[in-house]
Amino acid sequence: MREPTTTTTTPDATSEVIRVETRAEGEYELRQTTTPKRFAVADGELLNVATAAAPIALRWTSGLMCHGYEAKVVDGEVGEGEYAVWSGSGKAVRETSDVAKFPRPEKPLKMYQFQGCPFCKKVREAVISLDLDVIYYPCPRDGPEYREFVRAEGGRAQFPYLVDDNTGTKMYESDDIIAYMYEKYGPGKANIGPALTSGTLTSVTAGLALLPRLGKGSAYAPSKKPENMQPIVFYGYEGSPFCVLVAEKLCELELPYLQRSCGRGSPKRQELFDKRGTFQVPYIEDPNTGIAMFESKDIVNYLQEQYAA
């Protein structure tokens, strides 16, 4: 039986309120310095969020939605415990997609990549379209662990690099990886969206979309990972600028993370709503410390304080 949730508040050095929810053994402590608010930008983060939002226009919203996404305004407001992007005045916006029709891998795919790479970005967008859960192993420049693994495993330090333990498949080349994922876990490679097809234009726009971030998520920052580190669980999606800020920090510190992909139309939006009574991303659960957090600024600060050397 679940123990009652307890909440404590403590003023920190900046007079913000820290809220810690202590739950039953085996669950995560939710730590907040700010109350989650939809679409709100934290103080001092406007420029960061604005530059991270650049791909929304350049990439034709690729990385925002699941394949077959559809939104409808329906009569009636949502019931208690039910997720909807908006509800009020007797109406609700319902979101659906085709991902429930696709085969699901038994084990998460493994992807070796880094945030500042345009070819890796295309693959991350395809992951959102197919609503796949992927363990990302960041390979920033000068990273001591996963970049060297790829060099030893595949013969060269080239990214992205896919390992699918469900089929024994290992491959380089973004276009080949996207085609493989669509064929194996999606509607077939003939249905790859135009923003993800092979060609100069898609690669150029992916590169231009990363320019405003000035190389963020590309170079290694020394970190202190625990021995046998477990991947941090990260609910998010590529098209969210708030999620981009967290993914960049995870990459720079070379911290592995399991992305629970939840683009528009993903059933995992309801999953997070069931877990926390709200849907907002980014949201992380760190099995190495037992800490859970919303809010990109808070998460980035936590990762820096917990893992930076």
Side-chain angles (χ1 to χ4, degrees):
M1 182 175 180
R2 171 177 284 191
E3 297 175 0
T5 298
T6 60
T7 302
T8 61
T9 59
T10 307
D12 67 5
T14 59
S15 298
E16 291 182 330
V17 172
I18 299 176
R19 185 161 68 101
V20 180
E21 292 188 0
T22 306
R23 297 178 180 270
E25 185 178 356
E27 297 187 7
Y28 289 87
E29 290 183 356
L30 181 63
R31 292 192 177 179
Q32 297 174 212
T33 59
T34 54
T35 301
K37 295 179 181 178
R38 276 180 155 184
F39 314 119
V41 178
D43 290 344
E45 289 294 291
L46 184 58
L47 181 60
N48 252 342
V49 172
T51 54
I56 295 175
L58 289 167
R59 295 293 295 152
W60 308 295
T61 70
S62 183
L64 278 170
M65 305 167 186
C66 295
H67 190 88
Y69 172 78
E70 187 175 10
K72 289 182 178 179
V73 178
V74 297
D75 292 328
E77 298 185 18
V78 298
E80 185 178 352
E82 188 176 0
Y83 167 77
V85 65
W86 179 85
S87 176
S89 304
K91 302 284 186 180
V93 177
R94 301 282 187 175
E95 298 177 296
T96 60
S97 69
D98 292 338
V99 297
K101 305 173 185 177
F102 303 155
R104 301 288 81 181
E106 182 180 345
K107 302 174 184 176
L109 306 185
K110 297 176 180 177
M111 200 77 67
Y112 295 79
Q113 60 95 48
F114 63 97
Q115 283 295 117
C117 167
F119 304 102
C120 297
K121 179 171 177 53
K122 285 173 55 179
V123 170
R124 295 195 304 268
E125 291 173 351
V127 164
I128 299 305
S129 178
L130 299 174
D131 199 39
L132 294 171
D133 287 353
V134 172
I135 300 177
Y136 284 112
Y137 292 95
C139 301
R141 185 175 63 254
D142 298 325
E145 186 171 357
Y146 304 125
R147 180 173 280 258
E148 292 308 310
F149 169 84
V150 173
R151 192 192 307 274
E153 179 81 4
R156 59 190 188 275
Q158 178 180 315
F159 308 98
Y161 180 67
L162 168 71
V163 176
D164 184 355
D165 290 334
N166 300 281
T167 63
T169 299
K170 301 176 182 179
M171 64 171 62
Y172 292 104
E173 298 295 341
S174 58
D175 291 334
D176 292 343
I177 292 171
I178 291 169
Y180 170 81
M181 293 191 303
Y182 264 79
E183 193 67 26
K184 189 70 179 175
Y185 303 116
K189 59 185 178 182
N191 295 297
I192 296 173
L196 298 173
T197 52
S198 61
T200 303
L201 180 60
T202 55
S203 296
V204 168
T205 57
L208 290 174
L210 295 170
L211 280 179
R213 296 302 296 153
L214 301 174
K216 293 286 188 180
S218 295
Y220 175 65
S223 60
K224 52 179 192 297
K225 291 183 288 189
E227 188 176 356
N228 300 319
M229 180 174 185
Q230 300 179 62
I232 293 170
V233 180
F234 174 36
Y235 284 77
Y237 58 103
E238 180 68 17
S240 164
F242 302 98
C243 295
V244 167
L245 302 179
V246 173
E248 287 174 350
K249 180 57 68 173
L250 288 164
C251 188
E252 290 167 359
L253 294 173
E254 205 189 36
L255 302 177
Y257 61 98
L258 168 62
Q259 179 172 283
R260 300 283 286 156
S261 299
C262 47
R264 295 210 170 273
S266 170
K268 278 168 278 187
R269 291 186 165 226
Q270 181 66 51
E271 177 185 308
L272 182 52
F273 191 94
D274 291 340
K275 186 187 290 281
R276 287 299 181 190
T278 187
F279 174 81
Q280 180 177 318
V281 291
Y283 168 78
I284 67 161
E285 293 177 342
D286 188 347
N288 305 283
T289 63
I291 301 302
M293 300 187 80
F294 286 106
E295 293 293 335
S296 58
K297 183 178 181 180
D298 292 347
I299 294 172
V300 168
N301 288 341
Y302 163 79
L303 295 173
Q304 181 69 22
E305 292 169 3
Q306 182 68 34
Y307 292 109

